Amino acid sequence: MAPKAEEYSAVPQKDPEKIGPIEMMAPEKTNDTVELKPKMTLMNGVTVIVGSIIGSGIFVSPSGVLMNTGSVNMSLVIWITSGIFSMVGAYCYAELGCMIKKTGADYAYIMVTFGSFLAFIRLWVECMIVRPCSQAIVALTFAIYASKPFFPECEPPDEAVRLLAAICICILAFINCWEVKWATAVQDVFTYAKLLALFIIIATGIVQLAKGKTENFNWDDTETDFTKIALSFYSGLFAYNGW
C-alpha cells in the first residue's frame, strides 16, 4: 500500500548564499547552578600556599627545642634531623601524588591502599582533632605575641591570652564565611608579615655571626634525658609541618 503524498511536506532548505560562519550550538545558560565563583588571583594562590607552608610554628618552636635540648649545638642537630625527616616525608608524598592521581591527599591515598573505612577515620581525625588543635596553637601563638608589649616585665595572663585567641578564631571564621576577598586579603597581609619577620630574624643572625658572636655555639648543659630530646623533636617537626 503506497503512502499518501499529502502526508509528507518538503523541508525548507537554507539559501547557501545566506549561510554565515559555522554556527556553534551552545547549551542554554541557566542561573539554576549553585557554585562558588572564582575570586582568587595568582598572587592570592601563592600567598595561600606560602602561608600554609610557613606556619606560625616557626616562631614558637625554637624556644621549645632549645629548652628541651639545653644547648645550642644540640638544638641545631635536632633542627637538621627534623628537616631531613620532613624532606623524606615530602618526597614520599610527591611519589604518592605521581602514582595515585586523585584529589584528596591523605584521604585518597588511604582510600586506595587500605579502603574506605580507614580513609574516613583519617579524615574524621583530621577534621575533628588535628586541624582544630593546630588552629588553637596558631591562635595562642598570635595571642602571646600580641599581648607581650602590654606585659614587658612578666608573662601575659593565661586568661587574657586564651580570650584573645578565641576572639581571633571567631573573627577569622566570620571573615572566611562572609567574603572570599576578605579572606584572601587577610591571608596576603599575614603572609607578608610572616615573611618580613623571618627576613628580619635571618638578617639579624647573619649580622651577629659576621661580628664574631659565636660563643653560644657549644655543647654546654646538653640535656641527657631521652624524653626531653623526644619532646624537642616534636617541636622541631611541628615547625616543619608545612610539607
Side-chain angles (χ1 to χ4, degrees):
M1 182 175 180
K4 296 181 181 180
E6 57 270 13
E7 293 181 2
Y8 300 92
S9 60
V11 178
Q13 300 294 328
K14 290 185 176 181
D15 188 354
E17 297 180 357
K18 295 181 180 180
I19 298 178
I22 299 175
E23 298 177 356
M24 303 297 295
M25 300 299 294
E28 295 182 359
K29 296 182 179 180
T30 60
N31 296 326
D32 297 335
T33 305
V34 178
E35 60 183 2
L36 184 63
K37 296 181 180 179
K39 296 182 180 180
M40 294 181 61
T41 62
L42 176 61
M43 185 56 66
N44 296 143
V46 171
T47 55
V48 168
I49 295 174
V50 173
S52 300
I53 294 175
I54 305 175
S56 299
I58 190 60
F59 300 105
V60 70
S61 293
S63 60
V65 174
L66 188 59
M67 180 178 62
N68 289 307
T69 54
S71 65
V72 174
N73 285 1
M74 189 62 189
S75 66
L76 291 177
V77 172
I78 296 299
W79 281 114
I80 294 172
T81 307
S82 300
I84 294 173
F85 184 83
S86 300
M87 183 178 64
V88 172
Y91 284 147
C92 292
Y93 262 65
E95 185 175 0
L96 283 173
C98 294
M99 295 176 61
I100 305 175
K101 298 179 180 180
K102 293 183 178 181
T103 57
D106 295 343
Y107 176 79
Y109 305 151
I110 298 176
M111 170 78 79
V112 173
T113 308
F114 299 107
S116 59
F117 176 74
L118 291 180
F120 171 77
I121 294 298
R122 170 66 177 84
L123 188 61
W124 184 85
V125 171
E126 180 77 15
C127 294
M128 302 300 295
I129 300 176
V130 176
R131 290 302 176 92
C133 292
S134 299
Q135 296 303 319
I137 293 173
V138 172
L140 288 172
T141 303
F142 170 80
I144 291 173
Y145 280 99
S147 57
K148 276 286 188 180
F150 301 98
F151 301 92
E153 298 180 357
C154 62
E155 293 294 327
D158 290 339
E159 293 78 8
V161 171
R162 293 174 183 176
L163 180 60
L164 183 57
I167 293 173
C168 176
I169 292 176
C170 292
I171 292 175
L172 291 179
F174 171 77
I175 291 175
N176 280 273
C177 294
W178 186 259
E179 180 64 40
V180 176
K181 291 184 178 179
W182 291 9
T184 54
V186 172
Q187 179 69 46
D188 294 348
V189 171
F190 277 92
T191 299
Y192 297 146
K194 285 191 288 188
L195 291 176
L196 178 61
L198 286 177
F199 287 147
I200 292 174
I201 293 172
I202 293 171
T204 304
I206 293 174
V207 170
Q208 295 298 323
L209 288 176
K211 292 181 179 180
K213 295 185 176 181
T214 59
E215 62 273 8
N216 292 322
F217 289 92
N218 52 60
W219 298 92
D220 297 342
D221 300 324
T222 300
E223 187 63 53
T224 57
D225 189 358
F226 181 77
T227 57
K228 291 188 176 181
I229 298 296
L231 288 175
S232 66
F233 269 110
Y234 177 80
S235 298
L237 292 173
F238 178 74
Y240 283 107
N241 196 35
W243 66 268

